[in-house]
Amino acid sequence: MIENKALIERFLRYVKIDTQSADESEAQPSTAKQHDLAKVLYAELRALGLDAVYDEAHCYVYAVLPGEAPALGFIAHMDTSPAASGKNVCPRVEENYQGGNIILKQGSGGKEAIVLSPAQFPGLLRHRGEDLIVTDGTTLLGADDKAGVAEIMSMLAHYAAHPELPHRTVCVAFTPDEEVGRGTEGFDLESFGAKEAYTVDGGTLGEIEYECFNAAAAKVVVSGRSVHPGSAKNAMLNALNVAMEFHAMLPAAERPEHTEGYDGFWHLDSVNGDVEQAVLRYIVRDHDRAHFEARKQTLTDVAAYLNQKYRAFLGGRNAVELTLRDQYFNMAEGMREHMGLVTRAKDALASLGAEPRVVPIRGGTDGAALTARGVPCPNLCTGGYNFHGRFEYASVQEMETCVRLLIALAAV
Ligand SMILES: [Zn+2]
């Protein structure tokens, strides 16, 4: 049933190495254990005969396989999400899945069994007849993004074993800390070497992503005036009430919980305060640049309206102070001149019998940051599902198709 044994062995080897990154850490990388995988990958790249570089200071691994045509890059991240444990991952291959429940862990001592069920995850039913790699229900799997790492390594192994096959110069990078938004902090474009690349960090087979959000953070500081509540008439301005008034002026339907696809939103992330001062923190997201600018303008307008309303009351002082900070921009703009990368991926997928589908990313990616630095970088599927949780799984056959996709893209 399993055709590409080496691919699966690689994947199982990588997921057993705990590489969870950490949000609260300021170290580089955020957790030292990411080096454990970096060292393994560096050694394996050298064993394949590649020219590899291990940047120990930043925990990046780069390698080049020289070819006959201009360089093409492939990037995958080594860390796993802080959202679920990545320690003692016990992966298992469920061969020839038939569409029923998969028992991840038997119940014992009054504890219920942990079950991966199509009732809860209907997407499983698309994988009937495939071999699925699952967890033991207590950790994540780490297909995000060790599926991408294993697929890139398998593509390299293929070309290293077949020197007679013509291919482009292939540049690869394995990066830390993608899951905590710091994946390109120490990324060295010169060591990498390619002027165009793909991140191999998506999910569903066939999906190609090259559009992400434009993103900004907003901080709203509301100043009130505290007076004893017993004698507050016409004297108190409660900053908490003004903060709620601010929030109520934003369209309720344009919140994350009511949006999808290309819809943008304002998201209230935190509220802190008392009568004297309240602080609201928002994130603002939109794929469309004009809509994104309009969303920021709405915040500015609401602040101006409330300042107008309460200024006289505060003796000419502003009640609301708004600070806006851009975080990242939609990579689609930087991709416009490089759409050949997307077209070639679509054609390659179609030739492998996988229906190509372009979908917008509702977030940012390492590719967005690299595109902004001049290396256009769309994202490719890996065949992994249910990322960041205990029900994560990957399809062996889809992972094989993803390796063929990378081989086709690197071919001359
Ligand atoms: Zn990922």
Side-chain angles (χ1 to χ4, degrees), residues 143-164:
D144 178 10
D145 184 24
K146 288 163 185 169
V149 175
E151 289 158 11
I152 291 172
M153 290 297 289
S154 293
M155 174 266 296
L156 289 171
H158 172 81
Y159 278 120
H162 295 279
E164 74 283 5

Side-chain angles (χ1 to χ4, degrees), residues 66-209:
E68 295 84 71
L72 176 64
F74 295 97
I75 300 163
H77 65 88
M78 297 181 287
D79 64 316
T80 61
S81 168
S85 171
K87 198 175 169 181
N88 298 328
V89 173
C90 287
R92 177 168 71 79
V93 182
E94 173 85 8
E95 288 189 27
N96 193 13
Y97 174 63
Q98 288 302 310
N101 286 344
I102 301 175
I103 312 258
L104 300 178
K105 194 183 176 79
Q106 295 288 353
S108 71
K111 271 199 192 156
E112 269 183 58
I114 304 174
V115 178
L116 177 60
S117 155
Q120 205 182 352
F121 301 105
L124 275 170
L125 297 174
R126 289 198 310 270
H127 301 289
R128 274 186 274 230
E130 297 172 11
D131 305 317
L132 300 182
I133 305 176
V134 299
T135 68
D136 68 356
T138 66
T139 67
L140 50 63
L141 177 62
D144 178 10
D145 184 24
K146 288 163 185 169
V149 175
E151 289 158 11
I152 291 172
M153 290 297 289
S154 293
M155 174 266 296
L156 289 171
H158 172 81
Y159 278 120
H162 295 279
E164 74 283 5
L165 296 176
H167 58 81
R168 297 174 64 172
T169 290
V170 179
C171 302
V172 306
F174 298 121
T175 62
D177 287 336
E178 191 273 348
E179 298 290 359
V180 292
R182 294 172 52 199
T184 58
E185 242 179 47
F187 196 103
D188 182 37
L189 293 181
E190 227 155 272
S191 303
F192 182 48
K195 297 274 186 290
E196 55 177 19
Y198 296 95
T199 50
V200 187
D201 187 22
T204 306
L205 183 69
E207 286 187 355
I208 307 163
E209 300 164 313

